[in-house]
Amino acid sequence: MACSGVNCILHISSTIRRSSSSVTSLLLEEENKVKLYQYANCPYCHKAKALLSYASVPHKIVEVNPLNKAKLKPLADQSVKKVPIAILEQKDGSLVQING
């Protein structure tokens, strides 16, 4: 099931709120890194970024060009194709999409 916009933000928010969740513990480990793929002028992307900052989740912002979307090509196998896309890079190098 794909989500977009507000649904993605609500999904990330509910994931972060579940303190007993294994995803939350993964988000807060220093070895794991969250990348947020976004457009510079996307309001939903700004809300997702604000949520990650509010929850003190360390993250990296990846600006995507909306015309060619070249930075989204490596994520072709992920379930959500629209920004914002939040990806958790685990210690073993695997990528897990946390908003889908």
Side-chain angles (χ1 to χ4, degrees), residues 22-70:
S22 61
V23 174
T24 303
S25 62
L26 285 173
L27 287 174
L28 298 177
E29 288 182 19
E30 288 188 22
E31 296 85 13
N32 296 325
K33 298 173 183 76
V34 175
K35 287 185 182 178
L36 182 67
Y37 291 81
Q38 69 168 19
Y39 296 150
N41 58 355
C42 170
Y44 301 114
C45 299
H46 290 291
K47 287 182 181 184
K49 181 171 52 173
L51 177 67
L52 290 171
S53 296
Y54 177 77
S56 301
V57 175
H59 59 281
K60 178 182 174 189
I61 301 298
V62 179
E63 292 291 336
V64 178
N65 182 339
L67 297 177
N68 63 12
K69 302 178 185 175

Side-chain angles (χ1 to χ4, degrees), residues 3-100:
C3 73
S4 63
V6 174
N7 291 334
C8 289
I9 294 166
L10 292 175
H11 181 73
I12 293 171
S13 176
S14 67
T15 301
I16 291 173
R17 267 191 254 126
R18 285 185 246 133
S19 60
S20 62
S21 170
S22 61
V23 174
T24 303
S25 62
L26 285 173
L27 287 174
L28 298 177
E29 288 182 19
E30 288 188 22
E31 296 85 13
N32 296 325
K33 298 173 183 76
V34 175
K35 287 185 182 178
L36 182 67
Y37 291 81
Q38 69 168 19
Y39 296 150
N41 58 355
C42 170
Y44 301 114
C45 299
H46 290 291
K47 287 182 181 184
K49 181 171 52 173
L51 177 67
L52 290 171
S53 296
Y54 177 77
S56 301
V57 175
H59 59 281
K60 178 182 174 189
I61 301 298
V62 179
E63 292 291 336
V64 178
N65 182 339
L67 297 177
N68 63 12
K69 302 178 185 175
K71 293 190 178 176
L72 294 180
K73 302 243 190 280
L75 305 176
D77 60 336
Q78 302 297 327
S79 62
V80 176
K81 308 290 187 216
K82 297 180 181 180
V83 295
I85 299 175
I87 299 289
L88 175 67
E89 184 180 342
Q90 296 182 336
K91 290 183 257 188
D92 62 359
S94 62
L95 300 176
V96 177
Q97 187 169 348
I98 57 175
N99 67 323

